[in-house]
């Protein structure tokens, strides 16, 4: 039967040095970040997800953003190769963890670059953002890995944010949600819903209509409630300072058979 596992990786001692590209650097409270991460992981478990903690990446400031290290499609894993060279050591321990879970594993190879945060899946459609961290060669390698498994891959331009999923995610009915000023081409999505706050564009589907989302987007939460969903807010303020969001902090393995 399909299981619900989530890969997570705790913040390392260099978290405050994490990369920022589209926001101004502000101080990060490392102690508060760790408490927020622990609460995030606890919330996943409270809603039926088994968390699998990946070995630490203490030399990598951005290691906590484990989503960027791999893209899953069904039982297949494509290990990423970041467009940011400082992040390229991060996937090694993730690949080891996926191997122990029985995943089929492939890798993005030079000259390809791909960050998992640039990949949004809705059903069998896989949207891939091309911008600062993911290039055309990385997109081609993702196509080669996933199209034979039934994926429909759609390229999406990304110029206003760090990753595609910094701009958009999707509701359970496959409606893509985003903060319109940061979305390059909303018309690429068959159904697009604008949300009133930047952090309201990011949801993790917990199951049963429950949406894990940032506590910093109360108006978006009201919008989702009006649509019949149940927001589950978590405070991730310290990670938002590093351009992180709720999707970045885990890799959800929804179709992994155990």
């Amino acid at each position: 039967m399909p299981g619900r596992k989530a890969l997570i990786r705790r913040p390392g001692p260099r978290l405050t040095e994490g990369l920022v590209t589209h926001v101004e650097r502000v101080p990060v409270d490392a102690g508060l970040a760790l408490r927020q991460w622990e609460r995030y992981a606890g919330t996943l478990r409270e809603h039926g997800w088994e968390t699998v903690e990946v070995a630490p990446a203490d030399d990598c400031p951005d290691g906590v953003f484990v989503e960027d290290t791999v893209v899953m499609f069904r039982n297949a894993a494509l290990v990423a190769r970041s467009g940011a060279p400082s992040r390229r050591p991060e996937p090694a321990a993730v690949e080891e963890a996926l191997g122990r879970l029985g995943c089929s594993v492939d890798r993005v190879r030079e000259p390809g670059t791909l960050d998992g945060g640039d990949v949004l899946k809705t059903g069998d459609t896989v949207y891939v953002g091309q911008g600062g961290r993911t290039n055309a060669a990385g997109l081609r390698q993702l196509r080669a890995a996933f199209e034979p498994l039934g994926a429909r891959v759609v390229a999406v331009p990304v110029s206003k944010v760090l990753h595609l999923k910094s701009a958009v995610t999707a509701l359970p009915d496959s409606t893509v949600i985003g903060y319109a000023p940061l979305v390059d081409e909303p018309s690429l999505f068959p159904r697009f819903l604008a949300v009133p706050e930047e952090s309201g564009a990011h949801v993790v589907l917990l199951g049963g209509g429950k949406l894990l989302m940032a506590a910093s987007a109360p108006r978006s939460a009201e919008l989702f409630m009006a649509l019949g969903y149940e927001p589950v807010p978590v405070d991730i303020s310290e990670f938002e300072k590093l351009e992180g969001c709720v999707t970045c902090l885990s890799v959800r393995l929804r179709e992994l058979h155990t």
Side-chain angles (χ1 to χ4, degrees), residues 15-180:
L15 175 71
T16 60
E17 304 169 36
L19 298 174
V20 293
T21 58
H22 291 267
V23 299
E24 182 179 349
R25 183 176 294 278
V26 295
V28 173
D29 184 329
L32 176 57
L34 178 59
R35 293 192 295 275
Q36 290 177 346
W37 178 85
E38 290 172 340
R39 182 60 191 139
Y40 174 95
T43 300
L44 288 175
R45 291 189 290 269
E46 289 166 9
H47 290 85
W49 291 80
E50 177 189 346
T51 56
V52 178
E53 189 166 340
V54 176
D58 287 351
D59 290 334
C60 299
D62 294 290
V64 68
F65 299 123
V66 67
E67 180 186 48
D68 291 324
T69 61
V70 65
V71 179
M72 298 296 304
F73 186 79
R74 298 180 180 161
N75 209 43
L78 182 63
V79 175
R81 180 175 182 270
S82 181
S86 66
R87 299 199 62 186
R88 290 181 188 162
E90 294 176 26
V94 175
E95 183 173 349
E96 291 177 8
L98 291 167
R100 289 194 297 271
L101 292 171
C103 296
S104 167
V105 179
D106 197 358
R107 301 177 193 84
V108 175
R109 293 172 170 82
E110 190 176 0
T113 63
L114 177 77
D115 269 13
D118 275 323
V119 181
L120 172 65
K121 294 170 290 182
T122 61
D124 288 336
T125 300
V126 180
Y127 296 103
V128 182
Q130 285 189 256
R133 297 282 178 86
T134 296
N135 65 15
L139 172 61
R140 285 195 296 271
Q141 292 180 44
L142 182 141
R143 283 189 191 278
F146 293 157
E147 284 186 340
L149 304 178
R152 184 178 75 92
V153 179
V154 179
V156 180
V158 174
S159 66
K160 302 174 183 179
V161 289
L162 176 59
H163 291 126
L164 175 63
K165 287 169 77 174
S166 303
V168 296
T169 57
L171 296 174
D173 67 357
S174 295
T175 297
V176 173
I177 57 172
Y179 183 60

Side-chain angles (χ1 to χ4, degrees), residues 161-216:
V161 289
L162 176 59
H163 291 126
L164 175 63
K165 287 169 77 174
S166 303
V168 296
T169 57
L171 296 174
D173 67 357
S174 295
T175 297
V176 173
I177 57 172
Y179 183 60
L182 299 181
V183 182
D184 284 78
E185 293 188 29
S187 62
L188 289 174
F189 308 109
R191 287 182 292 175
F192 178 79
L193 174 66
V195 297
E197 297 135 317
E198 181 177 347
S199 60
H202 318 129
V203 297
V204 170
L205 310 186
L206 294 173
K210 296 179 180 179
L211 309 176
L212 182 66
M213 62 179 295
S216 57

